[in-house]
Amino acid sequence: MNDFGLMTVFSFAPGGWGAAMAAASAMTIAVATAGFIAGAIIGTFGAWAKISGGRVVRSVADGYTTVLRGIPDLLVIYLFYFGSSAVLTPIGRVFGANGFLSLPAFFAGCLAIAIVSGAYHTEVFRGAYQVVARGEIDAAYATGMSRALAFRRIIAPLTLRFALPGLANIWQLVLKESSLISVTGLVEILRESQIGAGSTKQPFTFFLAAAILYLLISSASGWALQIAERHFTRGLGRG
Amino acid sequence: MDFSFFLSAFLRLLPGVPLTLQLAFISVGLGMVLALILALLRLSGIRPFEWIARAYIFLFRSTPLLVQIFLIYYGLGQFPTVRYSVLWPMLRQPYWCAIIALALNTAAYGSEIIRGGLRSVPEGQTEAARACGMSRITVFRRIVLPLAIRQALPAYGNEIILMVKATALASVITMMEITGLAAKLISETYRAVEVFIVAGSIYLIINYAITRVIHLLEYWLTPHLRPVPTPGVVEREDAV
């Protein structure tokens, strides 16, 4: 007998899990967004290294993307969560802290997502840059733009335009990957569902709710990204 | 660098390799069958079937795998009908729950790859086969499927590697595969970086081996893309 209706379990009234699940959804979106942006920054440098770096820089970037695509994301999360304490505790000792120091789960999670998604960002940016017509870049230099100005006004906007579909894919990946951070105890959607499942003895209800929340976030953001894509490619003829 | 620690960590993690490979290969195998069924439903041209396949693919691709694993491992036990069913001895074990979740998940991704492969088969090929008098089933078995497999192989190779990576999630439901052993070793020794390097290398070796095998398969399946041997060589072979 299931005597709690879904509406009661997830109500926003005291005793209901609605507010907690909403806060957890906000946390998921926050950690995914922060990780995604940091990953994009890593990806920009990675793409730059692959496109115009010397042999050493290029092979470092190649090594980074190859290794990260072959290693489970969960392992990377463990590395940052547990590994940070190995680095921070001795530093803390120098400054007089005796306890066990580690990165906050949010920060460790963002870093892990950034490092993992940075590998995908690198490839997406590199691919997009290669689609940018050579002539546009040559024309920018020919009109006397400096390298920085050409990058800001011509290369970056055009690359972003071509990178948008790939970035949308990465965003969906990152969103799903953020659920792995629940293993470090960060209270995002999945962790909150585990807590709820434990205290109400209704695991199916809660994990189903988690699935629906992820579905909603990914559909809504997918829809928004599609609109953005249409907006930014409006100048391009569709063959 | 403490090489003796690396060696002992390697020896501690090695027993997890068979479990990782089992989880990956059994779920990829089961998932491939389901993926083919889904792809056929999707291309069947029958509306309700198409919608079922589309809904399945959408649901499994837009929710995290870990949520799917938890739904199956922790969630199904909520229903007494499941607990008293014949399937319970299986659904109670994390091993089978992990395999079921991984297989259901990879089927959704795999079906899109197979669908792409099936659609890439040129119309002329199937028309020629039909013109030779092959039945629809024979055409599918002899012409369409082999060509589709050849086309889909590189993408499916990627999916297999993603699955090897995904088996790490089984460690969250107590399976002691490579990542599970690594997490245990980290909590015993507090040497996260070293253990990470060892565990990561094992995954890289496994994935490298899989890429090589896929490349070999691809080479074997695409004789028409290899450079044509020069006539001189052919003549010599004829002479022998």
Side-chain angles (χ1 to χ4, degrees):
Chain A
M1 274 293 286
N2 192 354
D3 43 355
F4 298 102
L6 270 188
M7 290 321 238
T8 350
V9 175
F10 294 111
S11 78
F12 281 81
W17 288 83
M21 291 301 272
S25 306
M27 179 57 93
T28 287
I29 294 172
V31 80
T33 311
F36 181 83
I37 292 171
I41 295 170
I42 296 176
T44 310
F45 283 106
W48 169 75
K50 281 199 174 191
I51 292 164
S52 55
R55 190 176 296 164
V56 179
V57 177
R58 211 163 53 217
S59 53
V60 169
D62 277 335
Y64 164 63
T65 50
T66 319
V67 166
L68 263 294
R69 274 183 298 177
I71 289 180
D73 311 337
L74 190 58
L75 212 52
V76 180
I77 290 174
Y78 282 144
L79 172 73
F80 280 96
Y81 188 61
F82 295 116
S84 63
S85 63
V87 177
L88 288 179
T89 308
I91 297 175
R93 209 156 283 156
V94 172
F95 291 100
N98 299 319
F100 201 70
L101 290 178
S102 75
L103 278 182
F106 181 86
F107 200 62
C110 283
L111 256 179
I113 287 186
I115 297 283
V116 172
S117 72
Y120 296 108
H121 278 289
T122 301
E123 294 302 336
V124 165
F125 284 142
R126 191 175 63 106
Y129 174 79
Q130 279 165 351
V131 183
V132 175
R134 273 323 72 171
E136 306 235 28
I137 300 170
D138 290 340
Y141 291 137
T143 48
M145 287 192 195
S146 68
R147 287 180 71 89
L149 192 64
F151 179 80
R152 187 164 61 79
R153 287 221 188 128
I154 310 294
I155 300 175
L158 284 175
T159 305
L160 267 181
R161 169 193 273 179
F162 293 121
L164 212 51
L167 290 179
N169 271 340
I170 298 177
W171 165 252
Q172 301 284 357
L173 272 178
V174 162
L175 184 63
K176 285 184 275 176
E177 205 178 274
S178 72
S179 68
L180 302 189
I181 297 171
S182 63
V183 299
T184 67
L186 182 75
V187 186
E188 40 67 80
I189 295 177
L190 190 54
R191 183 80 198 122
E192 189 63 67
S193 313
Q194 278 177 296
I195 298 169
S199 78
T200 60
K201 299 280 182 289
Q202 294 186 48
F204 193 84
T205 317
F206 271 90
F207 292 129
L208 189 66
I212 293 170
L213 284 173
Y214 280 111
L215 209 85
L216 286 178
I217 298 173
S218 94
S219 307
S221 50
W223 179 70
L225 283 164
Q226 238 175 22
I227 290 178
E229 201 185 313
R230 211 171 305 146
H231 177 77
F232 287 115
T233 53
R234 67 194 185 285
L236 295 180
R238 292 227 161 199
Chain B
M1 281 285 166
D2 179 357
F3 281 105
S4 65
F5 181 76
F6 278 106
L7 186 65
S8 72
F10 181 70
L11 293 176
R12 284 282 302 275
L13 297 186
L14 214 51
V17 174
L19 185 55
T20 291
L21 293 180
Q22 266 178 47
L23 290 171
F25 287 121
I26 296 177
S27 55
V28 165
L30 292 175
M32 214 180 277
V33 177
L34 190 55
L36 182 60
I37 295 171
L38 282 169
L40 291 177
L41 288 181
R42 186 89 155 69
L43 296 173
S44 64
I46 303 165
R47 275 288 161 78
F49 286 172
E50 248 174 68
W51 278 104
I52 292 172
R54 263 169 190 268
Y56 180 95
I57 293 165
F58 173 70
L59 290 179
F60 276 87
R61 291 211 310 178
S62 42
T63 53
L65 175 57
L66 196 55
V67 172
Q68 294 159 19
I69 292 178
F70 280 2
L71 258 177
I72 292 172
Y73 182 60
Y74 295 115
L76 289 181
Q78 183 176 330
F79 305 107
T81 35
V82 178
R83 279 204 304 276
Y84 294 113
S85 73
V86 278
L87 288 175
W88 186 238
M90 219 173 147
L91 290 174
R92 204 176 50 187
Q93 292 172 35
Y95 179 78
W96 288 108
C97 287
I99 284 183
I100 292 169
L102 288 170
L104 292 177
N105 184 273
T106 183
Y109 289 91
S111 77
E112 291 290 273
I113 298 170
I114 294 180
R115 186 169 69 98
L118 288 173
R119 288 192 44 181
S120 76
V121 177
E123 200 84 343
Q125 303 266 2
T126 48
E127 275 168 11
R130 292 287 290 163
C132 291
M134 289 189 198
S135 71
R136 274 184 187 285
I137 295 174
T138 316
V139 174
F140 183 75
R141 191 167 55 82
R142 288 220 190 129
I143 312 295
V144 176
L145 195 58
L147 288 175
I149 289 174
R150 186 164 78 187
Q151 185 66 31
L153 194 63
Y156 222 100
N158 267 339
E159 177 60 23
I160 294 174
I161 286 171
L162 285 176
M163 284 311 283
V164 172
K165 290 170 64 177
T167 57
L169 300 193
S171 68
V172 180
I173 53 169
T174 72
M175 295 305 295
M176 280 300 157
E177 40 65 77
I178 301 170
T179 304
L181 290 174
K184 190 163 163 247
L185 194 57
I186 291 175
S187 63
E188 282 170 18
T189 60
Y190 295 107
R191 296 172 81 165
V193 181
E194 289 94 329
V195 175
F196 171 81
I197 291 172
V198 174
S201 316
I202 297 177
Y203 278 107
L204 284 178
I205 293 168
I206 292 175
N207 286 333
Y208 180 74
I210 290 173
T211 1
R212 292 318 303 168
V213 171
I214 297 283
H215 269 300
L216 271 179
L217 264 177
E218 224 183 298
Y219 178 79
W220 178 61
L221 287 175
T222 53
H224 62 294
L225 294 180
R226 285 177 225 158
V228 182
T230 50
V233 176
V234 175
E235 263 173 30
R236 262 220 219 115
E237 273 178 4
D238 283 348
V240 174

